[in-house]
Amino acid sequence: MGKKIDGKQIALQIRKEVQQKNEAFAAKYEMQPCLAVILVGNHPASLSYVQSKVKACKEVGMESRLIQLDAEVSEADLLKEIEKLNQDAYVDGILVQLPLPQHIHEDTVVYAIDPNKDVDGFHPINIGKMMLGVDTFYPCTPHGVIKMLEAISYDLCGKNVVVIGRSMIVGKPMAQLCLEQNATVTVCHSKTKDLTFYTKHADVIIVAVGKPLFLTEDQVSPGAVVIDVGINRNAKGKLVGDVDTESVLKVADYVTPVPGGVGPMTITMLLWNTIIAAERRVLAGTKNNHCFLG
Ligand code: GUN
């Protein structure tokens, strides 16, 4: 029987580290790091995510601003809001909660964020740096997965990693971060022929497809590490991942549970990116608490 990786516990440890960094930052510069979160519309899941982000900031001694815009806001007005935050010398991180309503182009919005404040790590400059192996803001969910593997002292070097899903938020950056750790990486997706062939040969399987209980015991080889990035609700409204956790635990060495696995790590890495952004901006001389554009 495999073990569950306790994402809550690992996240708590890292949050303590972030809190200490924030305290040192506040003592040294008499300012706090500040994250601005923009929510367009009031989709219940997105609202709950941004509220959790704001709450997490408070818990680690970080300032946050929540900007809620009407679902009908024009793309131009949203871009103006982003530009204000780009220019605001106090704000270190800007996050626009995705998905956005259909009439707004997500790419245009993401490209408008100052790359130095792009704590999501979605701006092409930051994605490009990540691909080059240059230190930058890594997307929070894949970065959180890497931190979880580090926490169980799992060395990816030379391992066969299968990533299922190729989104810009998880799959693609996940593959790159594993490659950076010298893993041999295969990215599978909805058009992959014989998925089980790949998963059976994998030391690590990272599933991010958004389909409840998608990966099952028969697709996993003994000793594998299975990371479940999915957050779905089943017919009874209960949270379930993309992995059939209890059955996969019979063969795998490790599985991340849902809830309590990757989920808590994502927000934690957002806090991590925000304190780093603040530190970099102070050193660059671009953060101050005098110029407040409101
Ligand atoms: N929607 C789902 N995950 C994310 C994320 O990591 N960042 C943003 N901005 N939106 C999301």
Side-chain angles (χ1 to χ4, degrees), residues 61-74:
M62 207 175 256
E63 248 180 72
S64 67
R65 295 197 206 153
L66 175 57
I67 296 144
Q68 283 186 266
L69 302 175
D70 199 83
E72 274 82 45
V73 70
S74 68

Side-chain angles (χ1 to χ4, degrees), residues 88-101:
D88 189 324
Y90 195 70
V91 170
D92 301 298
I94 304 171
L95 178 146
V96 180
Q97 185 66 26
L98 304 176
L100 289 166

Side-chain angles (χ1 to χ4, degrees), residues 4-21:
K4 290 186 186 172
I5 305 178
D6 188 346
K8 262 196 204 161
Q9 193 52 42
I10 300 167
L12 201 68
Q13 272 314 111
I14 301 176
R15 284 189 198 198
K16 272 191 198 150
E17 221 180 294
V18 172
Q19 188 172 354
Q20 282 164 3
K21 274 175 179 270

Side-chain angles (χ1 to χ4, degrees), residues 204-241:
V204 179
I205 308 172
I206 303 170
V207 198
V209 291
K211 292 187 183 159
L213 315 183
F214 176 81
L215 190 84
T216 48
E217 172 190 355
D218 53 302
Q219 295 176 290
V220 177
S221 284
V225 175
V226 178
I227 307 286
D228 188 352
V229 182
I231 302 177
N232 315 287
R233 291 213 180 259
N234 69 10
K236 291 182 185 158
K238 189 174 162 243
L239 277 189
V240 293

Side-chain angles (χ1 to χ4, degrees), residues 3-7 10 148-149 152 225 227 254-257 260-261:
K3 288 192 190 129
K4 290 186 186 172
I5 305 178
D6 188 346
I10 300 167
M148 285 179 107
L149 292 171
I152 60 161
V225 175
I227 307 286
Y254 288 101
V255 181
T256 64

Side-chain angles (χ1 to χ4, degrees), residues 46 49 53 95-99 120 122 139-141 169 266 270:
S46 292
Y49 289 141
K53 288 168 186 175
L95 178 146
V96 180
Q97 185 66 26
L98 304 176
D120 255 331
F122 294 165
C140 302
T141 302
I169 293 184
T266 298
L270 175 68

